[in-house]
Every structure is written in C-alpha cells, then in structure tokens.
Amino acid sequence: MERIFSKSTLRAFWEIHAEAEQYLKTWYETVKNADWKTPTDVKQTYANASILKNNRIVFNIKGNSYRLIAKFNFEKQWLFIRFIGTHNEYDKIDANTI
C-alpha cells in the first residue's frame, strides 16, 4: 500500500491498549509493504480477514482480541483506517458504513 491513513490512529490505540502495540506495528509494516490489488490478495496474506462491502476489510488483531476495519482504494493503493477497537466496541458499530 502506498499510503496508510493514519498511523497516529494506531499509536493512539496502543497507548491505551499497550498489549496491542507489537501486533499493530506488525500489521502496519505488513500492509505498508504489501502490493494488494484486490480483496483476494489481502486474503492471501490475512486468511482470517473478513471482506465487507464498500471496499472494507476487517482484520483480527492480537488473536482476535481486537478488530481493525480498513477501507481500501486498491487503484490508488490507499488504505484508510476506519475503526480499531475491542470486540465489544466492534459489536456496537456498523462495519459496512463506519
């Protein structure tokens, strides 16, 4: 991915949830170095990722302790972090529209 918006979102999260820091840093580096053109490409790297409508993909972080929703623009190679939170927080949102 050429651009990830925004790492500060991840940093703010791991400042509160320190146990997620290394997992989020690994996710960030993996995504930054990926050359994904389609959701299928994402699934080849993250088999447990959930593909949603509107180019959103849900990633399980730290053994599914947390959920991260990203919106992709595969053509421009942009990724927008739309949400990161606990399962309880995730259950309170609409992952397709956030």
Side-chain angles (χ1 to χ4, degrees):
M1 280 292 123
E2 203 149 308
R3 300 286 310 266
I4 300 173
F5 301 95
S6 106
K7 188 173 185 179
S8 64
T9 302
L10 300 178
R11 189 175 297 111
F13 188 81
W14 77 54
E15 286 175 358
I16 296 167
H17 303 276
E19 69 282 0
E21 181 175 359
Q22 277 312 121
Y23 295 92
L24 291 170
K25 285 180 175 179
T26 299
W27 178 87
Y28 181 87
E29 288 302 316
T30 301
V31 173
K32 185 175 82 169
N33 294 310
D35 185 27
W36 296 330
K37 304 288 188 219
T38 67
T40 302
D41 294 340
V42 177
K43 290 287 279 185
Q44 288 177 348
T45 305
Y46 287 103
N48 292 327
S50 299
I51 309 299
L52 307 178
K53 63 184 178 180
N54 299 323
N55 288 321
R56 285 172 170 74
I57 300 178
V58 179
F59 295 90
N60 299 319
I61 305 294
K62 191 182 179 285
N64 212 15
S65 294
Y66 303 103
R67 294 269 175 104
L68 186 152
I69 302 171
K71 182 172 181 172
F72 285 79
N73 181 322
F74 289 102
E75 183 180 325
K76 293 184 179 178
Q77 288 291 288
W78 291 352
L79 177 150
F80 299 88
I81 298 169
R82 304 295 297 158
F83 170 86
I84 183 162
T86 64
H87 262 280
N88 190 35
E89 292 166 333
Y90 175 83
D91 289 342
K92 295 177 183 175
I93 61 150
D94 182 348
N96 288 300
T97 60
I98 194 164

